[in-house]
Amino acid sequence: MTGLKFTKMHGLGNNYIYVNLFEERLREEELADLAVRVSNVNTGIGSDGMILIGPSERADFRMRVFNNDGSEAKNCGNGLRMVAKYVYDRGLTDKDQFQIETLGGLVEAKIQTGSDGKVEEVTVDMGPPRLLKKDLPMLGDPESKTISETIDVDGVPYTITAVSMGNPHAVIFVDDITQVDVAAVGPAIEFHPLFPERVNVEFIQVVGRGEIIFRVWERGSGITQACGTGACAAAVAGILNARLDRKVLVHLLGGDLVIEWKEDGHVYMTGPAEYVCDGVYYG
Ligand SMILES: N[C@H](CCC[C@H](N)C(=O)O)C(=O)O
């Protein structure tokens, strides 16, 4: 009985099933359904989604990411750090800095090793945030930005700042993160008609000029322990609203990320990536 070889990894608890397309063959038409099946915690392996690592004509590697509802996303920050660790550790590259192609564009990952030569953390240049409504996408004037705009969500007003990191994010600032019903408000905004391709939803409590507490409802996956692109979007939103300085410590449920929106206009994300297991899937 042949199965599908996989590696399960996580970035601050945001976990994915990795399939190495240098070794495995998958049919395009099976990808969405496979992502749903492997993500299922009862009948599958259990994860926030599936990530494919493969060759690229434009970069060193290509990453594709599928949420656990089978939808394909254009970027995944935690996923990028895990891809970087995987290709470095498994000898798919002899470089410690390389480019990864995503549907949302090219990014550059840099491996940080400890004195033992093992990967300690990864810094990814996520490129510039995209702020125009046409880039999200979001309904309204396509050439306008969404900075602290109030929208109606089932009769309740929410003030959002919309940021794309290749994938769309609606960022909401709150006074007390513990009072937010993420499981209720998240999907109400994810499926809001203003977002024709849906949206990831981040709730942010500002602790100081360089520190936030972060919770997320991910498009296509629901509440996750962490969201790398969401942390980038949250930092950008805080800076756009003059509430944060350019370097931000982000406290996510699963741990911390350091995000910096540098003067070069690019957003840099630094954080860990961990293995869970290697295995064979027979679903
Ligand atoms: N749910 C996201 C993709 C995963 C992003 C997240 N896990 C990250 O680390 O950036 C979307 O549909 O755009």
Side-chain angles (χ1 to χ4, degrees), residues 11-88:
L12 301 178
N14 183 211
N15 58 96
Y16 290 90
I17 305 305
Y18 282 78
V19 178
N20 178 347
L21 298 182
F22 292 98
E23 295 177 356
E24 302 291 311
R25 290 284 168 268
L26 294 174
R27 288 176 291 107
E28 183 66 28
E29 61 272 15
E30 73 177 320
L31 297 180
D33 179 61
L34 179 61
V36 174
R37 288 189 283 119
V38 299
S39 301
N40 187 304
V41 69
N42 296 310
T43 58
I45 306 160
S47 71
D48 293 324
M50 175 177 77
I51 288 182
L52 308 180
I53 302 171
S56 165
E57 292 174 5
R58 301 168 56 206
D60 297 286
F61 300 98
R62 184 183 182 205
M63 177 188 82
R64 293 180 71 180
V65 51
F66 294 81
N67 295 307
N68 62 28
D69 71 351
S71 60
E72 183 167 10
K74 292 185 177 173
N75 204 356
C76 180
N78 289 321
L80 284 165
R81 297 197 316 278
M82 293 182 256
V83 166
K85 177 180 176 69
Y86 182 99
V87 299
Y88 182 81

Side-chain angles (χ1 to χ4, degrees), residues 177-245:
I177 202 97
T178 64
Q179 299 306 304
V180 179
D181 185 353
V182 178
V185 182
I189 297 176
E190 175 189 357
F191 291 92
H192 196 286
L194 280 173
F195 297 101
E197 295 179 10
R198 299 185 285 162
V199 71
N200 299 284
V201 188
E202 286 82 17
F203 303 91
I204 310 303
Q205 179 180 333
V206 177
V207 175
R209 295 288 306 175
E211 189 176 2
I212 60 176
I213 302 171
F214 170 103
R215 294 294 180 267
V216 64
W217 173 271
E218 283 203 33
R219 173 180 63 173
S221 291
I223 290 176
T224 60
Q225 294 289 297
C227 178
T229 51
C232 294
V236 168
I239 296 160
L240 288 171
N241 284 283
R243 302 186 62 168
L244 293 174
D245 293 336

